[in-house]
């Protein structure tokens, strides 16, 4: 069943930018790693992690008017029925996917949903994320770096100011405090400190621009 799901999502993620198949597989790995340490249901996590972003392309196509987590909920049962899963298991998987998005207040309730939430957010910080963040900024036609006079807390998503640095200030610097699991918190703390150092270096290296 997992091989069939992987085959299905490969086609979906052929042209999906920063939220691509690689991101999905990293979240898949993190879910298994965190899930094993937290004694979660690995079967639920494996399926939910593989499918959690499959409607991300639809969100991009509609210029973010559709939330991929919410849109998924309307179509999930039809897709999961293909694999002959029990209804209660489908409901558990759907709950994990519905609650994985950072910007929504739909809080994960089950242990498995909390693990997926943590895994998805942990993949957003530090090393690989730097590459993803600049890719994402390019996808929304943002600048490379923000002007020193711009108040990033007053800027908008998907605008010219939606840079990697804005993403760090508005969202990623807060991720370590949003973790639900003990294992997730430990991993997030480690990556948070390395991410901070990276942006401290960027600020230091661009400080000369202030004199122009």
């Amino acid at each position: 069943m997992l091989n069939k799901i992987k085959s299905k999502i490969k086609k979906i993620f052929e042209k999906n930018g920063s939220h691509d198949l690689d991101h999905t597989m990293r979240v898949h790995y993190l879910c298994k790693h965190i899930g094993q340490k937290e004694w979660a249901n690995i079967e639920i996590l494996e399926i939910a992690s593989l499918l959690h972003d499959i409607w991300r392309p639809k969100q991009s196509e509609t210029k973010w008017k559709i939330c991929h987590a919410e849109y998924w909920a309307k179509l999930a049962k039809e897709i999961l029925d293909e694999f002959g899963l029990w209804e209660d298991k489908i409901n558990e998987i759907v709950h994990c996917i519905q609650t994985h998005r950072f910007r929504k207040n739909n809080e994960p309730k089950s242990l498995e949903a909390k693990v997926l939430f943590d895994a998805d957010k942990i993949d957003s910080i530090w090393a690989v994320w730097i590459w993803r963040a600049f890719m994402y900024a390019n996808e929304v036609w943002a600048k490379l770096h923000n002007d020193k006079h711009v108040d990033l807390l007053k800027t908008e998503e998907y605008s010219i100011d939606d840079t990697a640095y804005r993403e760090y200030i508005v969202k990623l610097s807060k991720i370590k405090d949003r973790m639900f699991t003990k294992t997730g918190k430990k991993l997030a703390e480690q990556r948070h400190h390395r991410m901070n150092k990276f942006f401290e270096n960027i600020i230091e290296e661009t400080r000369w621009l202030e004199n122009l």
Side-chain angles (χ1 to χ4, degrees):
M1 180 179 63
L2 290 176
N3 287 334
K4 289 181 180 179
I5 294 175
K6 288 176 183 178
S7 178
K8 188 179 186 73
I9 65 175
K10 281 181 181 178
K11 296 177 182 178
I12 293 171
F13 286 121
E14 283 178 350
K15 299 178 181 179
N16 201 28
S18 55
H19 290 81
D20 58 5
L21 182 62
D22 289 343
H23 162 66
T24 291
M25 297 313 297
R26 289 193 302 270
V27 172
H28 184 64
Y29 167 79
L30 283 167
C31 272
K32 290 195 291 183
H33 174 74
I34 297 171
Q36 287 168 355
K37 291 183 176 295
E38 299 288 333
W39 297 94
N41 186 316
I42 300 301
E43 182 185 15
I44 296 295
L45 283 173
E46 287 201 281
I47 298 171
S49 60
L50 288 173
L51 296 174
H52 81 282
D53 264 354
I54 65 169
W55 293 115
R56 188 86 193 191
K58 180 63 67 176
Q59 180 172 293
S60 301
E61 289 170 13
T62 61
K63 299 186 182 299
W64 297 274
K65 292 179 181 178
I66 287 177
C67 168
H68 67 284
E70 293 176 355
Y71 188 79
W72 157 259
K74 299 176 182 178
L75 303 168
K77 190 175 187 306
E78 178 183 339
I79 292 174
L80 291 170
D81 274 343
E82 294 178 21
F83 304 107
L85 296 172
W86 291 66
E87 186 173 356
D88 59 344
K89 190 168 290 186
I90 289 176
N91 290 337
E92 290 182 56
I93 294 168
V94 169
H95 173 68
C96 290
I97 296 168
Q98 282 179 319
T99 59
H100 84 272
R101 196 171 184 223
F102 184 95
R103 294 172 176 82
K104 294 294 177 179
N105 294 320
N106 193 9
E107 186 175 313
K109 302 297 183 183
S110 69
L111 174 58
E112 290 71 29
K114 292 175 181 178
V115 170
L116 176 59
F117 180 96
D118 286 5
D120 186 53
K121 302 308 163 291
I122 288 169
D123 188 57
S124 297
I125 53 180
W126 185 231
V128 173
W129 169 81
I130 294 173
W131 163 71
R132 285 184 62 214
F134 285 101
M135 270 192 72
Y136 177 74
N138 181 62
E139 290 168 18
V140 297
W141 300 93
K143 296 183 291 188
L144 180 64
H145 191 60
N146 300 94
D147 185 275
K148 65 176 180 177
H149 301 297
V150 173
D151 184 350
L152 296 178
L153 297 180
K154 294 181 180 180
T155 55
E156 297 181 2
E157 288 182 292
Y158 321 125
S159 71
I160 193 172
D161 290 311
D162 199 359
T163 65
Y165 183 59
R166 178 190 181 277
E167 184 81 347
Y168 164 71
I169 293 296
V170 174
K171 172 184 172 182
L172 302 180
S173 62
K174 302 175 175 62
I175 280 180
K176 70 178 179 64
D177 299 320
R178 293 287 304 275
M179 297 292 98
F180 286 98
T181 67
K182 182 178 179 180
T183 307
K185 289 176 182 177
K186 183 177 180 180
L187 289 171
E189 284 282 353
Q190 293 169 350
R191 296 193 182 195
H192 175 83
H193 291 303
R194 295 197 291 267
M195 180 176 63
N196 273 357
K197 189 64 178 177
F198 172 79
F199 280 104
E200 285 174 5
N201 289 338
I202 283 188
I203 293 169
E204 181 64 29
E205 291 171 9
T206 58
R207 189 164 289 166
W208 62 274
L209 292 171
E210 296 178 5
N211 297 320
L212 295 180

